[in-house]
C-alpha cells in the first residue's frame, strides 16, 4: 500500500477519533435543561434570577461552591447535581454552598 493511500485512509479516521474523544468529554450544562432550570442554574452568576432565587448573593459562583469538582482556575468542572455534565466556574445555582 502506498503511503499516500494509507494517509488518505488514516486522516478521516483520526478526525473521527478526535471528534469522538471531544464528545466523550462532559458537555456543559445548558440553562434550559430541566434540572438546571429547576435549580436556577446560569452560566454567569450575575444573570441569576435574583427575584426568584433569594439565596443568591454577590460573589457566589460555582468556582467557590463546595460542590464544584473542578480545580482552582478551571473554567468548567463537574457538579454532582448535574451528572455527566460540567458547570461553568462563573455559574451559579440555588444549591450553592460556600466552599469551606
Ligand atoms: Fe454550581 Fe454549586 Fe450549583 Fe453545582 S451546586 S451548579 S457547583 S452553584
Amino acid at each position: 500500500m502506498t503511503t499516500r493511500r494509507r494517509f488518505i485512509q488514516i486522516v478521516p479516521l483520526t478526525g473521527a477519533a478526535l471528534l469522538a474523544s471531544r464528545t466523550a468529554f462532559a458537555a456543559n450544562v445548558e440553562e434550559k435543561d430541566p434540572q438546571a432550570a429547576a435549580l436556577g442554574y446560569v452560566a454567569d452568576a450575575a444573570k441569576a434570577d435574583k427575584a426568584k432565587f433569594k439565596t443568591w448573593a454577590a460573589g457566589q459562583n460555582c468556582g467557590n461552591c463546595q460542590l464544584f469538582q473542578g480545580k482552582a482556575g478551571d473554567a468548567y468542572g463537574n457538579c454532582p447535581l448535574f451528572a455527566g455534565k460540567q458547570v461553568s466556574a462563573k455559574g451559579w445555582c440555588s444549591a450553592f454552598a460556600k466552599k469551606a
Side-chain angles (χ1 to χ4, degrees):
M1 185 180 305
T2 66
T3 304
R4 183 170 180 261
R5 182 176 294 168
R6 183 79 181 131
F7 177 78
I8 290 169
Q9 287 176 334
I10 290 172
V11 167
L13 293 175
T14 306
L18 285 173
L19 194 61
S21 68
R22 183 176 158 81
T23 54
F25 283 108
N28 297 337
V29 172
E30 300 276 342
E31 294 176 4
K32 61 183 183 336
D33 289 349
Q35 170 87 345
L39 290 170
Y41 172 79
V42 284
D44 178 354
K47 294 181 179 166
D49 185 344
K50 297 149 191 112
K52 185 174 180 183
F53 299 102
K54 304 284 187 197
T55 58
W56 181 90
Q60 294 180 347
N61 58 55
C62 294
N64 61 29
C65 173
Q66 201 160 6
L67 281 75
F68 187 69
Q69 297 175 336
K71 292 186 286 274
D74 283 353
Y76 289 87
N78 291 334
C79 170
L81 299 184
F82 301 101
K85 293 192 174 182
Q86 294 197 318
V87 295
S88 168
K90 295 177 181 172
W92 181 89
C93 90
S94 59
F96 174 86
K98 188 166 177 52
K99 196 174 276 186

